[in-house]
Amino acid sequence: MADDNDVLAAFLTLSATLTGYSQFRLLGTGQAEPYLATTRGAVGDDVLDQLLTTSAAVHDKAADNEEALDRGLRAGILSDDKLGPVARNVIKMWFVGTWYQLPQEWRDAHATREPDVTHVVSPASYTEGLLWPTIGANPPGAKGQGYGTWASPPLIDVP
Amino acid sequence: MTLRRITTVEDLHAYLHIAMQLEHATIPPYLTALYSMHPTTNADAYRVIRVVAVEEMLHLTLAANLLNAVGGTPDLTAEGFVPTYPAHLPDGETDFEVGTRAFSRDTIETFLKIERPALAEGDGRFVARERSSRALLPGVDAHEDDLHFYSIGEFYAEVGEGLQRLYDEMGDDLFCGDPARQVGAAYYYSGGGAIVEVTDGASAAAAMRVISEQGEGLGGTIYDEEGELAHYYRFQQLLLGRYYQPGDQGGTPTGPPFEVDWEAVYPVKADAQLDDYREPGELRDAVFAYSATYGEFLTRLTEAFSGRPDLLLPAVGDMFRIKELASQIIRNPMPGAAGVNAAPVFRGLAPVEVS
């Protein structure tokens, strides 16, 4: 996965499966590249490559079978000591825009990298968090709604 | 050379319809450039373009108030109201095309042409050019279709003089419109300046003054009476990387410098059409849904300008939604075109593509 576009595509494939949001919606947040860069910075190229390679293999093997995909992800990634915590961090990052420092056991076992600290990825990542469409609300004070619109039903898409 | 000026109320209605069409036609290009910027980048450039776009929305509303005041009927859903980009502006400006394009130096150069200051007072405001089939709007006069205005400012100068001539002739009878159709401050707020309800000669002149001075400037000054910088010079700041401040001459701003990151931009497809989205999928659905949403929004504005100004309050929420949908589309790549991103299409409910 030397090509940047290939890495981004693989990251999006995994992210779409992990979050339940389509790649269109994920790209629509404008956060795919910053989240990929944040993940790479926190865990390093080797772990990232392993995560995405494993994800690609699971997706290939499952084809369009959702049950097989679910099983494969749980077995190959989410219950894996090294990849599981990283995948869970990616999920949290998409939903709330924050990278959480990996568990101490993971850091002791695999890597202690300086960028692996709890931080909001960017001001945009907070407002673009998937949390907001998931609960059917706008991020308070961060995305315009307009005077008096609280008297009307919400205008945002609920997936 | 003689050109028929505004001599009847019907002429004035036609001009004011064109004014609404013209003000609206600038908004999709400005919004596309605005939303093509990467999130949280280019704060200065974003603010400059946003302010101009919002002022065009004020001008659109002022034009609707003027049209309603003289007994006309605004219709933003009329066939041809929304241009198919790229398009020429209506008034003689066939030397450049306006389109929905990414934020770039070239795009700002085009915006400068849209907002260029008027050349001269009097008959010099008309230029004779061959009529383009891509012109946005009908010619000034069907019998002399090759005569057009050099700039938007000159177009409005003609509207202002026509209004005055008719007012001199007819007196207050000119303002026969139902005052309940006027949009006032209760329903139009913080949108690029004060709204003016038009009910007589003085308020009509005040509305005209806001449109022409705030927009393109007339008479060679860069600031208007309220001390606001004309649009042309606002955009010019982006190319020069420096703000104007009071006392400056056009072309040499001396205010604080600022950075413009021309690279932090999604390379959106220029002048995207619905036809560009043939591949079934979520992007195509989103672009078509956007177009329909935009059309519904124009329907709502038409209702608001037809005696229901209260509908402008929920329309503000619609505008934020339109921004969200456009941003999502712009951040997605165009399938099958490396290095090109998708762009929203501003059409309507029943999109018709003009080839």
Side-chain angles (χ1 to χ4, degrees):
Chain A
M1 282 189 213
D3 189 295
D4 283 351
N5 287 332
D6 291 345
V7 177
L8 183 63
F11 183 69
L12 281 167
T13 301
L14 173 63
S15 296
T17 305
L18 290 175
T19 62
Y21 277 84
S22 68
Q23 294 195 29
F24 172 82
R25 291 293 297 269
L26 297 181
L27 284 165
T29 66
Q31 300 305 302
E33 278 144 345
Y35 288 168
L36 173 59
T38 299
T39 309
R40 177 184 277 133
V43 306
D45 281 323
D46 289 348
V47 176
L48 176 66
D49 188 58
Q50 200 181 328
L51 176 68
L52 298 182
T53 307
T54 308
S55 161
V58 168
H59 280 88
D60 282 350
K61 193 173 171 200
D64 289 333
N65 184 333
E66 282 201 18
E67 208 178 306
L69 183 60
D70 186 78
R71 269 200 316 274
L73 274 179
R74 286 175 195 281
I77 294 181
L78 293 171
S79 60
D80 183 86
D81 286 348
K82 190 197 281 186
L83 302 183
V86 179
R88 279 187 278 280
N89 258 21
V90 169
I91 298 174
K92 284 188 276 189
M93 186 162 53
W94 276 110
F95 276 87
V96 299
T98 297
W99 175 268
Y100 290 92
Q101 188 173 64
L102 286 156
Q104 195 56 47
E105 311 85 77
W106 192 96
R107 289 164 60 83
D108 292 343
H110 303 293
T112 309
R113 297 172 64 87
E114 207 178 315
D116 179 30
V117 289
T118 299
H119 67 286
V120 179
V121 175
S122 78
S125 69
Y126 167 74
T127 60
E128 295 294 344
L130 299 178
L131 156 71
W132 307 114
T134 302
I135 66 170
N138 278 307
K143 276 194 183 176
Q145 297 170 80
Y147 174 79
T149 46
W150 45 83
S152 312
L155 279 170
I156 69 165
D157 287 335
V158 179
Chain B
M1 185 181 296
T2 57
L3 180 79
R4 197 174 107 186
R5 298 280 177 89
I6 298 172
T7 56
T8 68
V9 173
E10 289 68 36
D11 292 338
L12 181 60
H13 287 183
Y15 269 70
L16 288 170
H17 273 295
I18 290 175
M20 290 185 67
Q21 208 171 347
L22 182 55
E23 296 296 347
H24 169 268
T26 63
I27 293 173
Y30 292 165
L31 291 186
T32 303
L34 189 63
Y35 299 154
S36 73
M37 296 177 188
H38 288 177
T40 70
T41 65
N42 274 319
D44 291 276
Y46 189 93
R47 196 162 50 240
V48 166
I49 297 179
R50 183 185 175 280
V51 164
V52 174
V54 169
E55 288 188 357
E56 301 298 354
M57 298 172 196
L58 173 66
H59 299 174
L60 176 67
T61 310
L62 287 169
N65 274 358
L66 283 159
L67 181 55
N68 272 320
V70 297
T73 308
D75 186 2
L76 292 78
T77 65
E79 197 180 340
F81 183 86
V82 181
T84 299
Y85 300 101
H88 288 129
L89 287 183
D91 29 19
E93 301 167 274
T94 48
D95 53 323
F96 68 97
E97 286 185 332
V98 180
T100 51
R101 296 169 193 183
F103 176 63
S104 72
R105 288 177 196 278
D106 282 350
T107 296
I108 298 301
E109 293 281 1
T110 301
F111 292 178
L112 285 174
K113 287 175 183 158
I114 294 175
E115 305 282 0
R116 65 186 168 194
L119 273 182
E121 294 282 346
D123 290 355
R125 73 174 57 122
F126 300 106
V127 287
R129 284 205 187 89
E130 208 169 304
R131 179 84 175 148
S132 161
S133 62
R134 280 191 150 160
L136 275 183
L137 305 172
V140 172
D141 180 272
H143 303 292
E144 304 202 39
D145 205 15
D146 58 339
L147 294 179
H148 303 279
F149 296 98
Y150 171 74
S151 77
I152 295 175
E154 283 152 332
F155 171 79
Y156 278 121
E158 175 60 22
V159 176
E161 286 171 21
L163 252 170
Q164 189 60 49
R165 277 196 297 275
L166 290 172
Y167 186 55
D168 291 344
E169 228 171 81
M170 301 168 61
D172 289 337
D173 288 348
L174 175 61
F175 298 100
C176 62
D178 180 357
R181 293 168 70 91
Q182 292 295 311
V183 175
Y187 299 112
Y188 194 100
Y189 61 93
S190 62
I195 190 76
V196 179
E197 290 185 58
V198 179
T199 52
D200 55 19
S203 52
M208 286 299 304
R209 200 167 54 78
V210 172
I211 295 179
S212 53
E213 285 188 3
Q214 200 177 46
E216 300 72 34
L218 198 62
T221 56
I222 73 171
Y223 285 93
D224 68 11
E225 276 187 21
E226 281 76 36
E228 280 202 59
L229 193 59
H231 292 179
Y232 178 88
Y233 299 100
R234 286 180 190 270
F235 284 139
Q236 197 188 40
Q237 295 174 132
L238 302 180
L239 295 179
L240 300 175
R242 190 176 279 276
Y243 285 112
Y244 279 105
Q245 58 185 355
D248 283 348
Q249 299 298 308
T252 50
T254 64
F258 61 92
E259 296 291 324
V260 177
D261 186 350
W262 300 100
E263 301 304 313
V265 176
Y266 295 103
V268 299
K269 180 160 178 60
D271 310 323
Q273 312 292 324
L274 289 172
D275 215 29
D276 293 325
Y277 300 92
R278 288 169 180 245
E279 192 175 305
E282 216 169 346
L283 175 62
R284 182 178 197 274
D285 293 347
V287 170
F288 277 72
Y290 179 88
S291 187
T293 300
Y294 195 74
E296 285 163 14
F297 178 69
L298 294 181
T299 302
R300 187 167 222 172
L301 285 188
T302 302
E303 289 165 10
F305 295 151
S306 304
R308 289 291 310 278
D310 57 302
L311 291 177
L312 288 179
L313 290 183
V316 175
D318 292 341
M319 285 185 252
F320 283 115
R321 173 155 172 79
I322 284 168
K323 175 188 174 185
E324 278 304 302
L325 294 174
S327 299
Q328 280 192 21
I329 291 166
I330 282 171
R331 293 165 185 171
N332 270 269
M334 196 78 182
V340 180
N341 274 45
V345 180
F346 299 76
R347 293 301 303 169
L349 284 171
V352 178
E353 287 301 289
V354 181
S355 59

